[in-house]
Amino acid sequence: MRAGPSQEEIRRHNLGTLLRYIHLHGPTSRTVLADRLGLNRSTIMALTAELTGAGLVREKLPSETGRAGRPSLVVRPESTRFYVLAFDVGVDRLAAARVGLGGVILDRREAVRERNGFDLDEVVATLAGFARQMLRKADADTVCVGAGAAFCGVVRRGDGLVRFGPNIGQTEVPFGAALTRELDLGMTVSVANDANLGALAEHQRGIGTRCQDLIYLHGDVGIGGGIIVGGRLLGGEGGYGGEVGHMVVNPRGRACGCGSAGCLEAEVGERALLSAAGREMSEDLIGRDAIRAIVDAAERGDVLARDALHRVGDWLGFGVSNLVNIFNPEMVIFGGILREIYLSSAAQVRSRLKTNTMAAAREGLRLRTSDLGDDATLVGAAELAFTEVLTNPLEVLTRAVAAG
Amino acid sequence: MRAGPSQEEIRRHNLGTLLRYIHLHGPTSRTVLADRLGLNRSTIMALTAELTGAGLVREKLPSETGRAGRPSLVVRPESTRFYVLAFDVGVDRLAAARVGLGGVILDRREAVRERNGFDLDEVVATLAGFARQMLRKADADTVCVGAGAAFCGVVRRGDGLVRFGPNIGQTEVPFGAALTRELDLGMTVSVANDANLGALAEHQRGIGTRCQDLIYLHGDVGIGGGIIVGGRLLGGEGGYGGEVGHMVVNPRGRACGCGSAGCLEAEVGERALLSAAGREMSEDLIGRDAIRAIVDAAERGDVLARDALHRVGDWLGFGVSNLVNIFNPEMVIFGGILREIYLSSAAQVRSRLKTNTMAAAREGLRLRTSDLGDDATLVGAAELAFTEVLTNPLEVLTRAVAAG
């Protein structure tokens, strides 16, 4: 319970708030900024002057105005000059991007990851290699202001230790420390669970920007979840919150990689769908391709494929219903392979919602598929990386320039 | 996204923060206040002078000090002068209290509620009658600064409409409006779900005061839930969040009063336990008495009673495990009749937690029984009623004095 802030704290807060607004909403006139941030024009002028001085934003006359009188200057983020590095470690894919202030993807790299085993050194070397390639291509006067990574596992807040990755068969992987060391940029790489970052991305830049309460469900091999409560990401005591994939929906259900049985992940994930559709896991057809093959077969009239999707959709409906009763969210977003699964079994999901949730809890609910698609987790990693500079623009900048 | 506050907003915020601190922590020296609120002593002096002037707090020399030098004045809440009215509508009980600033219960009334049906006029008349009795007993110079009520149903934020009360067989009951009208105090009665308010109470005054992430499970005839995420009560889009009692734990389970089947409430509530123990619902033995009779029987060696408790505890374990994976809470608190049920089946609950949750999600977890007992929901209603005066002390006071 802290009292109100000092004048200096307010100034810093306002600088961060203005920069965050421009970062999320793009070029904005001073007049609109004054209105949205609830500050008078002279304060906006002073703040933009500071940010312009630091090179973080630029002010320009709008290209045309429909009104008489002096037009309001437009403040734009210096997207090509200040950037973060974002990384994403999925079960089947490694990705990295250089993302400019304002959320512009300036450069990106991707590689397929083989499912057999997990070699930390190899993963870190690949990601760091991507980063070095992208850094070499960046202009000399550009500045890296942060680094963030999404990981398909349960990640400890603070040091990016991956406590548990059931779908890569790993525990206690010091991923954050290893990537920080290998990059050697003079800054720590922030790491978080991929589905948590997907939720953050959809909330800040995707389909959920107007929602203060949303649930993002991410289907990879497993099912991850990220939950925004009252506009903030649900973290829990140690940062492990949001693991909705390990909610038991079927106490007599299939064994799960987490050691339990009947988890949402075990009933709805890739393995469950392939098995219900009578298909083997094969090296040639995994992930989204395997799911699409089943969806295509169902559309062509394959009864086994159709029944498999309905069966899986029914369990997905149980899971979503529980979450709707618990969270009363405005939106549930299906991402990763859950997009395809949900689109092919929406009737089952909606039917379960009608039976299993209280009318009040679902009346404001919208079910949607991810806007950002496969990039949701990577975009979330970039937003995580931007957190510090948007909280404390000038200090972070001073540090970054000194380190660069 | 708002910018930092104005000087006037800061002053108001600081007044509220100081009063809230005293309200929750009791008499506190100026020195400690300065430290805890991060303000200098002259600001604390100015703020306490304003609150003293309004009569909300009083400053006194401490009775003894162990140190040399001028002792720091102790600021205490004017508990007998400023109070709220708190109400609690449970399935089996109606309660009301007059609660002073600082959380002191100054007066209280209770009545048994019969289970057959629900007559809004009768309930409101009983509660308003209690209120009038307590108001008559209050001194002439005392001031009512708010009113709040807990209700065993799904309550709409804003107007206190009870959307759904499965255990009283009601929908769309305009309880908040009716009680506000009947009391006629010139102020609106704030209403919320009883388990939500139980969570708030345990977080602010009970066993969960040091937890920022906790889950309170309230057993009445049904199972309610209240969840604190990052220090704030989870409300959801319409204020209906926290309905963990209607999470389906057993898809092949017993019919639930909500229309679904296999809900936590249907597998763990009073009816489930009585039925598992082969006992009939009887008018003579309901609620806590009925549960205690089963617990006593189990302790005396009644195998049927013991097995019933274990069976119910196992389902409770499924529910708690799901919540632990989803929220990674620091604490789960069992209140109402769930105290007895949990204490008699803790082994089953812990065993399920071990099987069904990820190690990381449960490693900081403590399972506890409610500190506030049967008063948790009523205390929560009082805290709800205090919300406004603690946000905006002087304005609310001016209004209350004018209305009184």
Side-chain angles (χ1 to χ4, degrees):
Chain A
M1 193 182 306
R2 298 294 291 179
S6 70
Q7 282 301 299
E8 175 51 29
E9 284 166 335
I10 292 176
R11 185 184 134 274
R12 220 182 305 153
H13 171 84
N14 285 347
L15 276 174
T17 304
L18 198 157
L19 190 60
R20 174 175 288 273
Y21 192 92
I22 299 289
H23 171 67
L24 292 177
H25 298 87
T28 309
S29 75
R30 284 188 188 172
T31 312
V32 171
L33 282 171
D35 178 57
R36 296 293 151 77
L37 305 186
L39 292 169
N40 61 40
R41 294 200 61 180
S42 63
T43 307
I44 294 289
M45 243 174 74
L47 294 170
T48 48
E50 277 208 76
L51 293 174
T52 308
L56 286 160
V57 303
R58 200 179 355 158
E59 291 186 286
K60 279 182 89 165
L61 276 171
S63 40
E64 48 180 285
T65 74
R67 292 197 288 180
R70 214 177 69 187
S72 175
L73 284 172
V74 168
V75 186
R76 344 177 137 257
E78 282 283 13
S79 298
T80 52
R81 219 178 136 207
F82 297 97
Y83 63 89
V84 296
L85 291 172
F87 304 96
D88 184 19
V89 180
V91 175
D92 297 324
R93 186 187 79 152
L94 297 177
R98 199 163 68 85
V99 180
L101 190 65
V104 195
I105 296 185
L106 302 167
D107 197 356
R108 65 181 296 161
R109 297 287 187 280
E110 256 187 61
V112 170
R113 206 190 76 78
E114 297 299 329
R115 285 198 183 177
N116 46 355
F118 180 90
D119 183 329
L120 176 63
D121 292 341
E122 198 183 302
V123 166
V124 163
T126 305
L127 295 177
F130 286 163
R132 279 189 284 269
Q133 289 169 23
M134 296 191 293
L135 291 172
R136 267 197 302 275
K137 274 186 59 189
D139 288 341
D141 68 338
T142 60
V143 182
C144 178
V145 292
F151 198 103
C152 58
V154 179
V155 180
R156 183 159 72 190
R157 192 164 34 206
D159 65 357
L161 178 74
V162 176
R163 299 294 308 278
F164 187 37
N167 295 301
I168 53 167
Q170 299 290 309
T171 57
E172 313 294 333
V173 183
F175 171 70
L179 186 58
T180 297
R181 195 167 48 237
E182 183 66 24
L183 283 174
D184 193 23
L185 292 170
M187 60 179 74
T188 303
V189 183
S190 303
V191 188
N193 170 267
D194 55 356
N196 277 359
L197 292 178
L200 195 69
E202 293 291 347
H203 174 57
Q204 296 194 340
R205 300 198 171 274
I207 195 153
T209 46
R210 287 166 195 279
C211 297
Q212 295 300 295
D213 294 275
L214 67 80
I215 295 170
Y216 172 76
L217 297 176
H218 185 73
D220 193 347
V221 177
I223 306 285
I227 300 166
I228 304 286
V229 174
R232 299 193 299 183
L233 187 66
L234 184 156
E237 192 249 343
Y240 307 124
E243 285 293 339
V244 301
H246 299 285
M247 159 171 62
V248 174
V249 289
N250 179 9
R252 305 180 188 205
R254 295 161 51 91
C256 183
C258 76
S260 177
C263 298
L264 184 64
E265 169 164 322
E267 302 296 337
V268 177
E270 181 188 319
R271 286 187 199 97
L273 183 57
L274 287 172
S275 149
R279 298 179 181 224
E280 294 287 316
M281 300 279 278
S282 81
E283 294 223 348
D284 305 332
L285 205 59
I286 54 168
R288 170 150 306 131
D289 296 337
I291 306 300
R292 283 212 179 115
I294 294 174
V295 171
D296 289 348
E299 282 170 3
R300 284 194 314 269
D302 181 329
V303 177
L304 193 60
R306 198 198 54 202
D307 288 354
L309 282 164
H310 289 185
R311 187 192 135 87
V312 160
D314 193 49
W315 288 120
L316 180 59
F318 269 107
V320 171
S321 296
N322 284 350
L323 295 173
V324 167
N325 279 329
I326 296 172
F327 288 99
N328 180 211
E330 296 165 76
M331 192 178 277
V332 174
I333 304 168
F334 300 95
I337 64 163
L338 277 184
R339 279 182 296 173
E340 280 79 11
I341 292 178
Y342 166 69
L343 290 173
S344 305
S345 64
Q348 281 67 40
V349 174
R350 289 191 180 277
S351 162
R352 270 292 152 216
L353 273 168
K354 211 170 159 190
T355 319
N356 291 12
T357 64
M358 288 180 302
R362 71 170 178 267
E363 67 195 359
L365 177 68
R366 284 166 295 162
L367 302 179
R368 293 286 184 273
T369 54
S370 160
D371 237 15
L372 302 166
D374 289 338
D375 277 345
T377 49
L378 189 63
V379 168
E383 292 306 317
L384 179 67
F386 275 118
T387 308
E388 220 190 328
V389 77
L390 297 177
T391 309
N392 231 335
L394 305 186
E395 283 78 351
V396 171
L397 207 59
T398 311
R399 223 184 310 140
V401 172
Chain B
M1 192 183 304
R2 299 293 294 178
S6 69
Q7 281 302 299
E8 175 51 29
E9 285 167 335
I10 292 176
R11 184 184 133 273
R12 221 183 304 153
H13 171 85
N14 284 348
L15 276 174
T17 305
L18 197 155
L19 189 61
R20 174 175 288 273
Y21 192 93
I22 299 289
H23 171 67
L24 292 178
H25 298 87
T28 310
S29 75
R30 284 187 188 174
T31 312
V32 171
L33 282 171
D35 178 58
R36 297 292 151 78
L37 306 186
L39 293 169
N40 60 41
R41 292 201 61 179
S42 63
T43 307
I44 293 289
M45 240 174 76
L47 293 170
T48 47
E50 276 208 74
L51 293 173
T52 308
L56 286 160
V57 304
R58 199 177 358 159
E59 291 186 286
K60 280 182 88 165
L61 276 171
S63 41
E64 52 180 281
T65 74
R67 293 197 287 181
R70 214 177 70 186
S72 175
L73 284 172
V74 168
V75 186
R76 347 177 134 255
E78 282 283 12
S79 298
T80 52
R81 218 179 136 205
F82 297 96
Y83 64 88
V84 295
L85 290 172
F87 304 96
D88 184 19
V89 180
V91 175
D92 297 324
R93 186 187 78 151
L94 297 177
R98 201 163 69 83
V99 180
L101 191 65
V104 194
I105 296 184
L106 301 168
D107 197 355
R108 66 180 296 160
R109 299 285 186 283
E110 255 187 62
V112 170
R113 207 189 76 78
E114 296 300 329
R115 285 198 184 179
N116 47 354
F118 181 89
D119 182 330
L120 176 63
D121 292 341
E122 198 183 302
V123 166
V124 164
T126 303
L127 295 177
F130 286 164
R132 279 189 284 269
Q133 289 169 23
M134 295 190 294
L135 291 173
R136 267 197 300 275
K137 275 185 60 188
D139 288 341
D141 68 337
T142 59
V143 182
C144 178
V145 293
F151 198 103
C152 58
V154 178
V155 179
R156 182 158 73 191
R157 190 162 38 205
D159 65 357
L161 178 75
V162 177
R163 299 295 309 279
F164 187 35
N167 295 302
I168 52 166
Q170 300 289 308
T171 57
E172 313 294 336
V173 183
F175 171 70
L179 185 57
T180 296
R181 198 167 44 236
E182 183 68 22
L183 284 174
D184 194 22
L185 291 170
M187 61 178 69
T188 303
V189 183
S190 304
V191 188
N193 170 266
D194 54 357
N196 278 358
L197 292 178
L200 195 69
E202 292 291 347
H203 174 57
Q204 297 194 338
R205 301 200 170 274
I207 195 153
T209 47
R210 285 166 196 277
C211 297
Q212 295 300 295
D213 293 276
L214 68 80
I215 295 170
Y216 172 75
L217 297 176
H218 184 72
D220 192 346
V221 176
I223 306 286
I227 301 166
I228 304 285
V229 174
R232 298 193 300 183
L233 186 66
L234 184 156
E237 190 249 345
Y240 308 125
E243 285 294 338
V244 301
H246 299 285
M247 158 170 62
V248 174
V249 289
N250 180 9
R252 304 180 189 207
R254 294 162 51 91
C256 183
C258 76
S260 177
C263 298
L264 184 63
E265 170 165 320
E267 301 297 335
V268 177
E270 181 189 316
R271 287 188 199 96
L273 183 57
L274 286 172
S275 149
R279 298 181 181 221
E280 294 288 315
M281 300 278 281
S282 80
E283 294 221 349
D284 305 333
L285 206 58
I286 55 169
R288 170 149 308 130
D289 296 337
I291 306 301
R292 282 211 179 116
I294 295 173
V295 170
D296 288 348
E299 282 171 3
R300 283 195 314 269
D302 181 328
V303 176
L304 194 59
R306 196 197 57 204
D307 289 354
L309 282 165
H310 289 186
R311 187 192 135 87
V312 160
D314 193 48
W315 288 119
L316 181 58
F318 269 107
V320 171
S321 297
N322 284 350
L323 295 173
V324 167
N325 279 329
I326 296 172
F327 288 98
N328 179 212
E330 295 165 78
M331 190 178 279
V332 173
I333 305 167
F334 300 95
I337 63 164
L338 278 183
R339 279 181 295 171
E340 280 79 11
I341 292 178
Y342 166 69
L343 290 172
S344 304
S345 64
Q348 281 68 38
V349 174
R350 291 192 178 275
S351 161
R352 272 290 153 215
L353 274 169
K354 209 168 162 192
T355 319
N356 291 11
T357 64
M358 290 180 302
R362 71 170 177 267
E363 68 196 358
L365 176 68
R366 285 167 293 162
L367 302 179
R368 293 287 184 273
T369 54
S370 161
D371 237 16
L372 302 166
D374 289 337
D375 277 345
T377 50
L378 190 62
V379 168
E383 291 307 317
L384 179 66
F386 274 118
T387 309
E388 221 191 327
V389 77
L390 297 176
T391 310
N392 231 334
L394 304 187
E395 284 76 352
V396 172
L397 207 58
T398 311
R399 222 183 312 141
V401 171

